[in-house]
Amino acid sequence: MADYQLIIIGGGLSGIAAGIRSARFGLKTLLLEQHTIPGGLNSYYYRQGQMLETGLHAMTNYAQPGDKRAPLNRLFRQLKLSRKQFTTHEQYCSEIRFPDASLRFSNQPLLLEEEIRTSFPAAVDRFSRLKELVAAYDPFTPAPWRSARNFLAETLGEPLLEEMLLLPLMVYGNAEEHDMDLGQFVIMFRSIFMEGFFRPAGTIREFLSLLTNQYREFGGELRYRALVSEIVRSGDRIQGVRLAGGELISADAVLSTVGMPGTIALTGWDLPAKAYGGQMSFMETVSLVPWEVAAAIEPRRTILFYNTRPTLCYQRTDSFLDLSWGVICFPSNFVGVEAEPYAQIRNTNAANYALWKAAAPEEYRELKAAWTRAAVDNAGTVIGAYRQEVVYQDSFTPLTIERYTRKAEGAIYGSPLKIKDGTTPWPNLFIAGTDQGYLGIVGAMLSGVTVVNQHLLQ
Amino acid sequence: MTRDEIKDVILEIIEDIDEDAEFDNLDADAPLRDQLDLDSMDFLDIVMELRKRYQLQIPEDEYPELASLTSCVNYLEPKLKDA
């Protein structure tokens, strides 16, 4: 008999959610996490006594408790967590800012419609039509790739508006350059423009504790500092995993959440890992400023998506950072978040992994400092200068992300090729997480849930 | 188990799955799915709970037998008679 019925590689959100499902229904489950803290891309760390989150800007898919069909509430039911007892803070309002137009949106979809009525009066009826088409589209039934850009052009015929709508949807979850799959577009459109942004009360640390406690409550086992070095094959089946220290743990089934390039490397899968390498990676800078400074900079904006050009160049940049467009997030600007001594400003720009990778260690440190300054000054041109007010700062480059999360090339949205059904050539090895196709925190968790439901419970 | 006991088990499982479930106006002969706004993922949970509690294996092509409260009881009665 195998040591476990299911081994899950990776203690990120998809892995923990998968673990809750399998442990809840009695499968003997082991979750392996390489670090001493769970969360994967959405984790936290300590510097100088300050806890900082690594990834979380906001969660998407906001829904009131009681709305049973909403993805967030379905997810909570699946994890057997009480939605009523889960305190959330909704966004105030976010904004898409281009040179010649700006659109605000909130968790009330009517705001965006009113903004479009003001800025693009000729397109407002076509935008209503777009919303109907998005509502009617089924993105979960496998379908061939379709261009979201073509769909938008046919439906709206208003190029600037199309570019503006694409910016938040791409930057919060598109692994492809230039265009995105229509199914992915529909999922992102609903989760951002129809449902909207919120934060869980507290930080990602409390949210992760809620999840890991639930997993352990159901009898799931969790091992930290457990780096998997090999997914062990035996004939045409997977036998288990080997840890970096040499220990072999056997399992009836293995679920990998480490992405396609990582899974290919661990299994010796005969596939070109390169084809599954994402091009889109980012650098993020977290700045702590006195609370009043952040409040004065951009009152009541939660997330600001800016572009200095009329078209969106969503692609790997040929410079270290692309400062022409980006995201500025104010994690303190959610309704009901209490004032603290310091507030964060997080800004994100597309980065070029290959350039960062090529830098020698000494040069890398200098480049990181220089580009952090450039990114903050650049964000300052959008929201007003704040570099002088920064009391603490840290940046993550694509290399930081690759090193800590094993996301190949720091591509946080993973492979442009998605393994939507979660299967592999081995009947007892499955894929969940970013490379299975759902993105964001809610999406990652639904991915773990869905793959366990489809392949391991039935 | 008696028919009434089976009915109580089903309602208890649903209540356990969905903290918002309300049974006040439940029509035992109408589909549970529509009345309680449940989806296929919730239905899987009912099946999984039955498996966990009574080691009952319900094949996927028999899930429609669980459509209404009455059909659930009819379907489960012979299976749970010694439970």
Side-chain angles (χ1 to χ4, degrees):
Chain A
M1 216 174 91
D3 300 325
Y4 292 90
Q5 286 170 288
L6 177 64
I7 287 177
I8 299 166
I9 308 172
L13 288 153
S14 63
I16 307 171
I20 292 176
R21 287 296 293 170
S22 76
R24 174 177 171 187
F25 294 112
L27 295 189
K28 190 177 183 214
T29 307
L30 175 64
L31 181 58
L32 298 170
E33 165 54 45
Q34 62 170 329
H35 296 296
T36 54
I37 291 176
L41 272 174
N42 285 287
S43 189
Y44 57 94
Y45 65 103
Y46 298 92
R47 283 286 183 284
Q48 301 172 4
Q50 178 83 31
M51 194 212 83
L52 288 167
E53 294 167 322
T54 56
L56 181 66
H57 282 186
M59 283 172 72
T60 57
N61 301 88
Y62 179 75
Q64 303 267 2
D67 176 359
K68 291 192 189 181
R69 291 181 194 186
L72 179 69
N73 298 341
R74 293 171 69 180
L75 175 67
F76 269 68
R77 289 205 299 281
Q78 287 284 298
L79 301 178
K80 210 170 180 330
L81 291 168
S82 170
R83 174 64 183 88
K84 285 179 188 158
Q85 287 167 32
F86 177 61
T87 309
T88 56
H89 299 294
E90 288 187 72
Q91 69 168 327
Y92 285 119
C93 155
S94 293
E95 182 181 339
I96 308 163
R97 197 182 286 176
F98 273 50
D100 296 320
S102 132
L103 292 172
R104 292 176 305 149
F105 63 96
S106 69
N107 296 358
Q108 309 300 325
L110 276 181
L111 175 63
L112 179 58
E113 197 161 321
E114 285 311 311
E115 292 276 298
I116 290 173
R117 192 184 299 283
T118 307
S119 299
F120 300 93
V124 72
D125 291 338
R126 278 172 273 146
F127 181 70
S128 299
R129 174 76 188 133
L130 172 75
K131 286 211 282 193
E132 288 166 21
L133 292 173
V134 164
Y137 191 89
D138 171 14
F140 301 108
T141 302
W145 188 91
R146 252 183 89 186
S147 161
R149 279 190 175 276
N150 289 350
F151 167 78
L152 275 171
E154 287 159 17
T155 316
L156 289 177
E158 187 79 62
L160 177 57
L161 176 58
E162 294 160 24
E163 299 292 322
M164 292 179 79
L165 293 175
L166 280 171
L167 172 52
L169 307 190
M170 284 203 179
V171 73
Y172 273 168
N174 189 22
E176 295 173 57
E177 296 178 283
H178 309 297
D179 200 348
M180 68 198 295
D181 175 46
L182 181 57
Q184 194 73 47
F185 170 85
V186 165
I187 292 174
M188 297 299 293
F189 189 99
R190 288 181 191 165
S191 59
I192 292 177
F193 293 139
M194 308 303 290
E195 294 166 358
F197 296 131
F198 71 99
R199 280 183 66 93
T203 65
I204 193 75
R205 179 177 56 187
E206 287 78 33
F207 186 62
L208 288 165
S209 296
L210 176 78
L211 296 170
T212 51
N213 289 344
Q214 184 74 336
Y215 171 64
R216 287 190 166 119
E217 184 79 13
F218 287 133
E221 292 173 46
L222 174 51
R223 273 174 70 176
Y224 292 112
R225 287 198 189 90
L227 179 69
V228 172
S229 61
E230 185 189 355
I231 296 175
V232 182
R233 296 156 58 166
S234 168
D236 58 0
R237 289 184 68 83
I238 299 299
Q239 200 196 339
V241 303
R242 192 179 301 283
L243 300 187
E247 184 185 352
L248 177 73
I249 314 173
S250 62
D252 295 335
V254 172
L255 176 63
S256 167
T257 71
V258 302
M260 280 300 282
T263 309
I264 289 168
L266 290 173
T267 49
W269 192 341
D270 184 19
L271 272 182
K274 194 85 193 129
Y276 293 90
Q279 292 294 302
M280 291 310 296
S281 57
F282 299 87
M283 180 164 115
E284 173 144 318
T285 297
V286 188
S287 305
L288 286 182
V289 300
W291 187 275
E292 316 75 56
V293 172
I297 283 173
E298 192 68 29
R300 303 243 153 162
R301 285 294 175 276
T302 300
I303 302 174
L304 182 58
F305 303 88
Y306 66 90
N307 188 3
T308 59
R309 293 186 286 227
T311 53
L312 173 60
C313 297
Y314 190 79
Q315 61 189 41
R316 178 176 279 199
T317 167
D318 50 20
S319 174
F320 283 87
L321 280 195
D322 185 346
L323 298 176
S324 72
W325 61 274
V327 182
I328 305 171
C329 172
F330 302 89
S332 50
N333 283 1
F334 286 79
V335 179
V337 170
E338 282 179 32
E340 288 180 32
Y342 299 104
Q344 293 179 42
I345 301 172
R346 303 183 75 110
N347 69 74
T348 310
N349 294 98
N352 181 314
Y353 168 82
L355 290 178
W356 286 100
K357 180 77 178 169
E362 193 55 40
E363 190 193 2
Y364 173 80
R365 275 194 291 279
E366 284 168 21
L367 282 165
K368 188 169 160 179
W371 281 100
T372 296
R373 225 169 18 249
V376 167
D377 286 343
N378 181 64
T381 65
V382 182
I383 60 172
Y386 62 92
R387 181 152 65 88
Q388 304 302 329
E389 309 286 352
V390 173
V391 296
Y392 177 77
Q393 198 163 57
D394 202 7
S395 299
F396 320 125
T397 70
L399 290 198
T400 322
I401 292 163
E402 185 177 59
R403 186 168 146 219
Y404 285 100
T405 71
R406 297 213 275 174
K407 283 266 171 222
E409 307 206 355
I412 53 172
Y413 302 134
S415 167
L417 301 171
K418 301 298 183 194
I419 314 296
K420 288 187 181 169
D421 64 0
T423 61
T424 71
W426 297 277
N428 60 338
L429 174 65
F430 304 96
I431 306 278
T434 309
D435 284 352
Q436 190 259 325
Y438 301 158
L439 289 149
I441 291 178
V442 174
M445 288 193 285
L446 281 171
S447 163
V449 164
T450 309
V451 171
V452 169
N453 285 357
Q454 284 177 354
H455 301 299
L456 295 154
L457 292 181
Q458 305 201 40
Chain B
M1 262 195 266
T2 65
R3 291 181 65 87
D4 275 345
E5 284 167 342
I6 295 174
K7 193 182 99 183
D8 289 344
V9 163
I10 296 292
L11 293 178
E12 186 197 307
I13 288 175
I14 293 173
E15 206 163 24
D16 197 38
I17 288 169
D18 176 13
E19 63 179 349
D20 295 317
E22 298 222 12
F23 301 133
D24 292 352
N25 299 312
L26 195 68
D27 175 352
D29 297 316
L32 287 166
R33 209 181 161 125
D34 305 341
Q35 298 184 82
L36 298 172
D37 218 357
L38 299 177
D39 61 28
S40 55
M41 288 162 101
D42 299 312
F43 257 81
L44 175 66
D45 282 9
I46 299 176
V47 171
M48 295 307 301
E49 269 311 315
L50 287 167
R51 184 196 294 183
K52 194 166 98 182
R53 293 184 186 197
Y54 307 106
Q55 289 75 50
L56 264 184
Q57 295 285 351
I58 303 177
E60 207 174 337
D61 56 0
E62 291 178 16
Y63 289 2
E65 305 280 353
L66 304 174
S68 73
L69 196 53
T70 305
S71 72
C72 278
V73 175
N74 291 343
Y75 175 73
L76 294 171
E77 194 179 10
K79 297 184 188 296
L80 294 176
K81 65 178 191 306
D82 300 322

